[in-house]
mmCIF file of all heavy atoms in Angstrom:
data_model
loop_
_atom_site.group_PDB
_atom_site.id
_atom_site.type_symbol
_atom_site.label_atom_id
_atom_site.label_comp_id
_atom_site.label_asym_id
_atom_site.label_seq_id
_atom_site.Cartn_x
_atom_site.Cartn_y
_atom_site.Cartn_z
ATOM 1 N N ASP A 205 -0.680 -14.028 3.982
ATOM 2 C CA ASP A 205 -0.540 -13.275 2.740
ATOM 3 C C ASP A 205 -0.835 -11.809 3.019
ATOM 4 O O ASP A 205 -1.886 -11.473 3.569
ATOM 5 C CB ASP A 205 -1.505 -13.807 1.677
ATOM 6 C CG ASP A 205 -1.054 -15.134 1.090
ATOM 7 O OD1 ASP A 205 -0.072 -15.133 0.326
ATOM 8 O OD2 ASP A 205 -1.679 -16.171 1.422
ATOM 9 N N PHE A 206 0.097 -10.935 2.636
ATOM 10 C CA PHE A 206 -0.060 -9.489 2.796
ATOM 11 C C PHE A 206 -0.171 -8.853 1.414
ATOM 12 O O PHE A 206 0.380 -9.367 0.435
ATOM 13 C CB PHE A 206 1.149 -8.867 3.497
ATOM 14 C CG PHE A 206 1.494 -9.414 4.851
ATOM 15 C CD1 PHE A 206 2.690 -9.041 5.454
ATOM 16 C CD2 PHE A 206 0.650 -10.285 5.523
ATOM 17 C CE1 PHE A 206 3.034 -9.522 6.709
ATOM 18 C CE2 PHE A 206 0.976 -10.783 6.779
ATOM 19 C CZ PHE A 206 2.183 -10.397 7.369
ATOM 20 N N LEU A 207 -0.821 -7.704 1.342
ATOM 21 C CA LEU A 207 -0.973 -6.980 0.079
ATOM 22 C C LEU A 207 -0.549 -5.530 0.238
ATOM 23 O O LEU A 207 -0.966 -4.848 1.167
ATOM 24 C CB LEU A 207 -2.428 -7.035 -0.400
ATOM 25 C CG LEU A 207 -2.758 -6.281 -1.695
ATOM 26 C CD1 LEU A 207 -2.019 -6.889 -2.888
ATOM 27 C CD2 LEU A 207 -4.274 -6.280 -1.946
ATOM 28 N N ASP A 208 0.291 -5.081 -0.700
ATOM 29 C CA ASP A 208 0.686 -3.676 -0.814
ATOM 30 C C ASP A 208 0.105 -3.160 -2.125
ATOM 31 O O ASP A 208 0.568 -3.527 -3.205
ATOM 32 C CB ASP A 208 2.214 -3.569 -0.795
ATOM 33 C CG ASP A 208 2.743 -2.172 -1.087
ATOM 34 O OD1 ASP A 208 1.938 -1.230 -1.157
ATOM 35 O OD2 ASP A 208 3.981 -2.040 -1.245
ATOM 36 N N ILE A 209 -0.933 -2.325 -2.037
ATOM 37 C CA ILE A 209 -1.623 -1.807 -3.230
ATOM 38 C C ILE A 209 -0.893 -0.568 -3.730
ATOM 39 O O ILE A 209 -0.784 0.427 -3.026
ATOM 40 C CB ILE A 209 -3.080 -1.440 -2.920
ATOM 41 C CG1 ILE A 209 -3.846 -2.639 -2.361
ATOM 42 C CG2 ILE A 209 -3.778 -0.906 -4.178
ATOM 43 C CD1 ILE A 209 -5.234 -2.278 -1.843
ATOM 44 N N GLY A 210 -0.410 -0.605 -4.977
ATOM 45 C CA GLY A 210 0.337 0.509 -5.548
ATOM 46 C C GLY A 210 1.722 0.581 -4.945
ATOM 47 O O GLY A 210 2.106 1.593 -4.356
ATOM 48 N N CYS A 211 2.494 -0.474 -5.115
ATOM 49 C CA CYS A 211 3.742 -0.665 -4.353
ATOM 50 C C CYS A 211 4.872 0.273 -4.756
ATOM 51 O O CYS A 211 5.808 0.472 -3.981
ATOM 52 C CB CYS A 211 4.200 -2.113 -4.481
ATOM 53 S SG CYS A 211 4.587 -2.631 -6.178
ATOM 54 N N GLY A 212 4.837 0.856 -5.981
ATOM 55 C CA GLY A 212 5.967 1.683 -6.404
ATOM 56 C C GLY A 212 7.257 0.879 -6.386
ATOM 57 O O GLY A 212 7.273 -0.291 -6.765
ATOM 58 N N TRP A 213 8.343 1.508 -5.926
ATOM 59 C CA TRP A 213 9.623 0.785 -5.906
ATOM 60 C C TRP A 213 9.739 -0.173 -4.734
ATOM 61 O O TRP A 213 10.719 -0.903 -4.615
ATOM 62 C CB TRP A 213 10.802 1.740 -5.943
ATOM 63 C CG TRP A 213 10.830 2.833 -4.916
ATOM 64 C CD1 TRP A 213 10.414 4.128 -5.080
ATOM 65 C CD2 TRP A 213 11.298 2.747 -3.560
ATOM 66 N NE1 TRP A 213 10.579 4.847 -3.922
ATOM 67 C CE2 TRP A 213 11.133 4.025 -2.965
ATOM 68 C CE3 TRP A 213 11.842 1.727 -2.781
ATOM 69 C CZ2 TRP A 213 11.491 4.293 -1.647
ATOM 70 C CZ3 TRP A 213 12.191 1.989 -1.465
ATOM 71 C CH2 TRP A 213 12.021 3.259 -0.915
ATOM 72 N N GLY A 214 8.713 -0.191 -3.850
ATOM 73 C CA GLY A 214 8.628 -1.283 -2.898
ATOM 74 C C GLY A 214 8.818 -0.974 -1.436
ATOM 75 O O GLY A 214 8.981 -1.900 -0.630
ATOM 76 N N ALA A 215 8.776 0.290 -1.025
ATOM 77 C CA ALA A 215 9.084 0.623 0.369
ATOM 78 C C ALA A 215 8.217 -0.154 1.357
ATOM 79 O O ALA A 215 8.724 -0.753 2.317
ATOM 80 C CB ALA A 215 8.924 2.122 0.592
ATOM 81 N N ILE A 216 6.903 -0.146 1.164
ATOM 82 C CA ILE A 216 6.007 -0.817 2.097
ATOM 83 C C ILE A 216 6.220 -2.327 2.052
ATOM 84 O O ILE A 216 6.287 -3.001 3.088
ATOM 85 C CB ILE A 216 4.543 -0.448 1.806
ATOM 86 C CG1 ILE A 216 4.311 1.044 2.058
ATOM 87 C CG2 ILE A 216 3.582 -1.292 2.629
ATOM 88 C CD1 ILE A 216 2.963 1.562 1.570
ATOM 89 N N SER A 217 6.336 -2.876 0.856
ATOM 90 C CA SER A 217 6.546 -4.319 0.722
ATOM 91 C C SER A 217 7.844 -4.763 1.369
ATOM 92 O O SER A 217 7.888 -5.801 2.056
ATOM 93 C CB SER A 217 6.548 -4.708 -0.760
ATOM 94 O OG SER A 217 5.276 -4.534 -1.340
ATOM 95 N N LEU A 218 8.900 -4.005 1.178
ATOM 96 C CA LEU A 218 10.186 -4.353 1.782
ATOM 97 C C LEU A 218 10.093 -4.291 3.299
ATOM 98 O O LEU A 218 10.619 -5.163 4.013
ATOM 99 C CB LEU A 218 11.277 -3.410 1.278
ATOM 100 C CG LEU A 218 11.571 -3.458 -0.225
ATOM 101 C CD1 LEU A 218 12.513 -2.322 -0.611
ATOM 102 C CD2 LEU A 218 12.161 -4.797 -0.643
ATOM 103 N N ASP A 219 9.433 -3.267 3.817
ATOM 104 C CA ASP A 219 9.245 -3.136 5.257
ATOM 105 C C ASP A 219 8.496 -4.344 5.820
ATOM 106 O O ASP A 219 8.897 -4.934 6.832
ATOM 107 C CB ASP A 219 8.492 -1.838 5.551
ATOM 108 C CG ASP A 219 8.323 -1.569 7.032
ATOM 109 O OD1 ASP A 219 9.215 -0.941 7.630
ATOM 110 O OD2 ASP A 219 7.297 -1.990 7.592
ATOM 111 N N LEU A 220 7.410 -4.738 5.161
ATOM 112 C CA LEU A 220 6.628 -5.875 5.611
ATOM 113 C C LEU A 220 7.436 -7.170 5.537
ATOM 114 O O LEU A 220 7.381 -8.015 6.443
ATOM 115 C CB LEU A 220 5.357 -6.009 4.766
ATOM 116 C CG LEU A 220 4.295 -4.936 4.954
ATOM 117 C CD1 LEU A 220 3.208 -5.081 3.892
ATOM 118 C CD2 LEU A 220 3.676 -5.013 6.343
#
Side-chain angles (χ1 to χ4, degrees):
D205 285 288
F206 303 170
L207 178 64
D208 173 8
I209 303 171
C211 62
W213 53 263
I216 295 170
S217 293
L218 297 171
D219 184 88
L220 290 171

